[in-house]
Amino acid sequence: MQATAGRSAEEGGWRAPAGRSVVASAVKSLALVAAAVIGLVRLFTGAGWPTWGLVTACAAAAVLIVGGVAAYDVARLRSTRWRLTGERLELRSGITVRRARAVPRDRVRSVDLRADPVLRLLGLTVVKVGTGERAADGDELTLDPLTRHDAETLRRTLLRGAAADEQSGERVDRDAPLAELRWSWVRYAPLTVWTFAGAGVVLGVAYKAAERLGLEDLAEQAAGPVWDWVTGHPLPAVVLLLTVNVAVGALGAVAQFAESWGRYRLDREPGRLRLRHGLLTARSLTLEERRLRGVEVREPLLLRLGGGARVKAIATGLGKAGDGETEDVGALAPPLPRPLAWRLADAIATGDARTDLGAGLVRHPPAARRRRVVRAVVLVAVLTAMTGVVSWSVPWPWPWMGPWMGAWVWAVPVVAAPAAWWGAVTGARSLGHALAGRHLVTRQGAMIRRTVALERAGISGWTITESFFQRRAGLVTVSATTAAGDGHYEVLDVGRGDGLELAARATPGLLEPFLVRPANGPDVSLH
């Protein structure tokens, strides 16, 4: 069946999206119906409408909304056609303004399949074909929606995997995965700053929803007594609000982890990586390994203290996160134990989980640490001065706060100085670089430690920056330019000679015309 479908597409026949999309759109429109019904009930109840009139108005609104959405989707489907030829994937769409797009097959970088619960129930999938060097806006071709069978066939055909799968006689699902979900990893979910901001986000979303439904007056009436109690009992209120905020944030983080990473699995198929995850909304991303330029191991502070890390792909053609998406499109795994994260990163980058790309990094010179310590001292001094000025000049809403803030100005350096010192020392210790086989490895960051293993073959150029203070300290920042990921990756505050030598060794011949190698000394400099 798959081979037949693939051949029909190669013959160039124009095909329409799946007709079941109309049913999916009608079901999704029920959310609009619910909002409209609430608004009508609130409006007409106050106007004294009888029950039968209110029911009739709500039913008419529901029919109009569902019918209008379904009619629009029918028109969209009738005006949308796609086909796959031997050279390109083509799409024609547009109800009032016709648009034609064609993507050469040799430019396809990734194929992303997504299906929310409604689409999954109807056996449908949205296909996003990623192209281009940096996946700029509008650089994705979207087929919305296809049947699950057609989407899988198109994915394999575009990524040149269908023939290999058929010859092997094995299902892709039987391949040994690089990683599979372990629910014990959920313990890392609350180790994020969103845990401490969760309640605020929830309240903001709830207020916006109430405002759209015309219920903001009720929300403000409910918030009034709470605010009166908070201002009357500040200390217990602070403790209670912090506790509730952390609890709500932690529960939200766990729920988000479960929805985003449920059924997670990362496979290495012939010539490509396939990532599948999502408990409610199914997501499947297929990435050609020849488009992979490296990996990044990211360790935010809280996650690092808990012994966890994240793994992210550095690849060309990855799109941007869509509206409502909470995960980076390059994320290859949920938060997981640090040793397992490094084994996964090694396996993805080199094919051998025992490589240990993060070992043997060269430490940066003491001048890099001094720069950070000086900046920490200046920051603490500025914060102390600003707090002193504000505490005596700003009229506080409660009279007792002015003297209290003035008396406790000394607490700013007491708290800020150790934190700033820790940031300076940790940031300096995090600095490191190495050439590990075919990869340039660089690490930096205090709050978020980032270790990047970038393929040397993917480096297209170098940017050497040297600020006034770096020049006095004998330091430079060497930035490798690439078409993948963030576009550039820095070796921060490295010794001038070491940084230039590192760039020259990483890409032999690329930087040599710009280097000066003195005959009587080891130092290397630029023209």
Side-chain angles (χ1 to χ4, degrees):
M1 290 290 291
Q2 292 177 353
T4 302
R7 284 195 297 270
S8 66
E10 295 256 350
E11 291 171 1
W14 288 99
R15 308 173 66 182
R20 279 171 279 174
S21 173
V22 178
V23 179
S25 298
V27 172
K28 293 177 184 179
S29 69
L30 295 179
L32 298 176
V33 171
V37 167
I38 292 175
L40 289 174
V41 169
R42 186 169 181 268
L43 175 64
F44 293 143
T45 299
W49 277 44
T51 303
W52 67 267
L54 183 58
V55 171
T56 302
C58 291
V63 170
L64 287 174
I65 292 173
V66 174
V69 170
Y72 173 82
D73 205 41
V74 168
R76 182 184 68 86
L77 293 178
R78 289 177 62 88
S79 61
T80 302
R81 292 293 183 271
W82 68 276
R83 70 176 178 180
L84 180 65
T85 68
E87 296 78 27
R88 56 188 175 272
L89 175 65
E90 301 179 43
L91 173 66
R92 294 178 180 176
S93 61
I95 299 175
T96 57
V97 178
R98 299 292 293 168
R99 185 183 184 191
R101 292 197 59 195
V103 175
R105 290 178 59 170
D106 58 3
R107 284 194 58 207
V108 173
R109 305 304 194 250
S110 62
V111 179
D112 188 358
L113 310 184
R114 301 205 175 195
D116 57 39
V118 176
L119 292 179
R120 285 178 57 193
L121 184 63
L122 296 172
L124 303 176
T125 300
V126 176
V127 181
K128 292 186 178 181
V129 180
T131 65
E133 292 301 318
R134 294 294 309 278
D137 291 338
D139 205 23
E140 285 186 335
L141 191 149
T142 301
L143 304 177
D144 181 14
L146 302 184
T147 64
R148 189 179 297 119
H149 173 270
D150 286 346
E152 283 291 338
T153 301
L154 180 63
R155 179 188 73 86
R156 297 185 183 185
T157 303
L158 285 174
L159 296 178
R160 301 180 179 87
D165 293 338
E166 292 165 6
Q167 292 173 4
S168 66
E170 297 179 0
R171 289 180 57 86
V172 173
D173 292 342
R174 294 178 184 174
D175 293 347
L178 290 173
E180 284 186 295
L181 178 66
R182 301 176 189 173
W183 281 107
S184 60
W185 298 346
V186 76
R187 67 183 184 273
Y188 297 116
L191 300 180
T192 170
V193 294
W194 289 108
T195 295
F196 302 96
V201 173
V202 171
L203 287 176
V205 172
Y207 183 81
K208 284 293 184 183
E211 187 177 23
R212 290 182 179 180
L213 296 175
L215 303 177
E216 63 272 16
D217 293 339
L218 295 178
E220 292 175 358
Q221 292 174 6
V226 175
W227 178 250
D228 292 339
W229 182 82
V230 168
T231 55
H233 307 81
L235 294 181
V238 169
V239 174
L240 179 60
L241 290 176
L242 288 177
T243 302
V244 172
N245 184 62
V246 171
V248 171
L251 290 175
V254 169
Q256 179 184 325
F257 179 98
E259 199 288 319
S260 294
W261 294 105
R263 305 188 303 169
Y264 163 74
R265 177 169 171 146
L266 179 65
D267 291 289
R268 171 170 272 128
E269 300 177 358
R272 60 185 184 253
L273 297 175
R274 187 177 186 188
L275 170 66
R276 285 170 284 187
H277 62 106
L279 195 62
L280 297 178
T281 299
R283 306 168 180 90
S284 174
L285 174 66
T286 306
L287 178 67
E288 285 190 294
E289 286 192 284
R290 65 191 181 100
R291 308 299 181 186
L292 194 66
R293 295 293 179 263
V295 292
E296 176 183 333
V297 177
R298 184 174 292 230
E299 303 171 74
L301 176 60
L302 293 178
L303 188 58
R304 185 165 77 243
L305 294 177
R310 302 291 300 268
V311 180
K312 178 182 175 181
I314 301 174
T316 60
L318 283 178
K320 298 181 179 180
D323 295 337
E325 289 295 323
T326 57
E327 291 294 339
D328 191 329
V329 292
L332 294 178
L336 68 166
R338 186 186 296 112
L340 186 57
W342 272 110
R343 288 199 296 272
L344 178 61
D346 292 335
I348 293 170
T350 67
D352 186 355
R354 300 168 297 178
T355 305
D356 199 4
L357 289 171
L361 297 183
V362 177
R363 300 287 296 273
H364 289 200
R369 177 173 177 171
R370 288 196 297 271
R371 286 198 72 208
R372 283 154 179 77
V373 171
V374 170
R375 283 186 296 195
V377 171
V378 172
L379 177 63
V380 172
V382 171
L383 286 177
T384 303
M386 291 178 60
T387 305
V389 171
V390 170
S391 64
W392 292 107
S393 62
V394 174
W396 297 95
W398 302 285
W400 54 270
M401 284 198 68
W404 184 87
M405 289 293 294
W408 286 85
V409 169
W410 59 269
V412 173
V414 169
V415 174
W421 175 263
W422 172 88
V425 173
T426 304
R429 287 178 178 173
S430 295
L431 294 176
H433 66 272
L435 291 180
R438 57 190 179 89
H439 289 87
L440 166 68
V441 184
T442 176
R443 186 178 67 191
Q444 62 173 287
M447 294 298 294
I448 301 178
R449 180 183 294 165
R450 301 174 58 201
T451 306
V452 172
L454 182 65
E455 279 193 356
R456 295 158 64 180
I459 299 175
S460 58
W462 294 93
T463 301
I464 314 298
T465 57
E466 187 180 33
S467 69
F468 171 78
F469 295 103
Q470 281 181 312
R471 186 163 56 252
R472 291 177 60 88
L475 303 174
V476 295
T477 294
V478 180
S479 179
T481 304
T482 180
D486 294 340
H488 68 279
Y489 292 92
E490 296 178 338
V491 183
L492 188 64
D493 283 346
V494 65
R496 183 182 294 111
D498 292 340
L500 296 176
E501 190 64 43
L502 174 70
R505 290 174 53 204
T507 54
L510 183 61
L511 203 60
E512 287 296 335
F514 307 98
L515 297 181
V516 176
R517 298 181 182 273
N520 57 351
D523 290 340
V524 181
S525 60
L526 291 172
H527 279 300

